[in-house]
């Protein structure tokens, strides 16, 4: 519910990566994984994953975790299609340092605890703007359990007064 925070997180210049769990019909070979990391030309655009890791699978279904720096329209699907594989399931599992819990269902939310919010604002170089009186969360996990991974500083991040 903080527009400045959302804008800063989503803007490509911030440099936050996005991680997805992807189920595909088929399996990539080592050459295809290398090509996806180096980048391939798809419809006149050069697209690449910054990381591709095999997760698990059997039969026709195999899971990968892939990382993107921008997340253009249908980029994950387009990259796998360029390798001849169809994506049958796609789920974002991380946005920058924020882990999206596997228990979080479509259309549901999970509030970040105050410590996580302070860390996120500091990482994104934004002034902390927590409401003076926050409503009491029904979910005690929000205050007790962190949803953030350790994350490197963002050296190329613009000054917070710069609207990007």
């Amino acid at each position: 519910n903080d527009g400045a925070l959302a804008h800063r997180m989503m803007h490509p210049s911030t440099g936050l990566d996005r991680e997805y769990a992807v189920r595909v019909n088929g399996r990539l070979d080592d050459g295809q994984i290398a090509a996806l990391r180096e980048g391939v030309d798809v419809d006149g655009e050069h697209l690449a994953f910054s990381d591709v890791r095999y997760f698990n699978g059997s039969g026709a279904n195999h899971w990968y975790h892939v990382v993107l720096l921008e997340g253009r329209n249908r980029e994950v699907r387009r990259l796998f299609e360029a390798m001849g594989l169809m994506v049958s399931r796609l789920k974002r599992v991380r946005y920058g340092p924020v882990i999206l819990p596997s228990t979080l269902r479509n259309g549901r939310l999970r509030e970040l605890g105050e410590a996580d919010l302070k860390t996120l604002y500091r990482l994104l170089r934004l002034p902390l703007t927590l409401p003076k009186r926050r409503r009491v969360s029904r979910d005690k996990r929000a205050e007790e359990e962190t949803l953030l991974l350790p994350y490197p500083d963002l050296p190329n991040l613009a000054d917070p007064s710069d609207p990007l």
Side-chain angles (χ1 to χ4, degrees):
N1 59 0
D2 183 328
L5 177 64
H7 179 74
R8 182 62 62 112
M9 287 185 73
M10 289 186 283
H11 201 278
S13 68
T14 303
L16 290 180
D17 57 357
R18 295 114 165 107
E19 183 176 345
Y20 298 86
V22 186
R23 185 179 66 199
V24 296
N25 294 322
R27 188 161 180 182
L28 296 170
D29 62 36
D30 291 342
Q32 290 173 311
I33 290 173
L36 289 171
R37 286 184 181 138
E38 292 171 18
V40 294
D41 291 325
V42 179
D43 300 327
E45 287 184 272
H46 189 75
L47 306 176
F49 293 124
S50 60
D51 194 18
V52 180
R53 293 179 189 254
Y54 181 73
F55 192 68
N56 66 21
S58 62
N61 292 315
H62 294 274
W63 284 91
Y64 292 86
H65 277 232
V66 298
V67 179
L68 292 171
L69 290 177
E70 261 186 65
R72 297 178 194 150
N73 188 34
R74 300 181 55 81
E75 187 170 357
V76 172
R77 293 180 189 279
R78 291 166 63 202
L79 278 162
F80 275 99
E81 286 169 5
M83 298 295 117
L85 299 176
M86 188 177 98
V87 172
S88 58
R89 181 93 161 85
L90 178 64
K91 182 178 179 181
R92 185 179 290 149
V93 295
R94 184 176 57 80
Y95 200 105
V98 182
I99 299 168
L100 303 172
S102 60
T103 57
L104 192 61
R105 301 290 173 228
N106 281 344
R108 307 301 289 176
L109 64 89
R110 172 92 178 268
E111 289 186 14
L112 293 175
E114 192 169 319
D116 280 354
L117 284 172
K118 287 178 180 179
T119 300
L120 197 54
Y121 277 85
R122 187 177 68 248
L123 175 70
L124 295 169
R125 298 191 190 129
L126 286 170
L128 187 61
T129 57
L130 296 175
K132 286 184 172 58
R133 278 186 72 206
R134 291 180 64 203
R135 68 177 175 84
V136 176
S137 175
R138 286 184 235 157
D139 186 358
K140 274 300 218 189
R141 291 177 299 174
E143 294 302 324
E144 297 170 359
E145 181 184 336
T146 184
L147 292 178
L148 299 185
L149 291 174
Y151 204 77
D153 284 335
L154 301 169
N156 297 326
L157 194 59
D159 184 273
S161 61
D162 181 5
L164 296 177

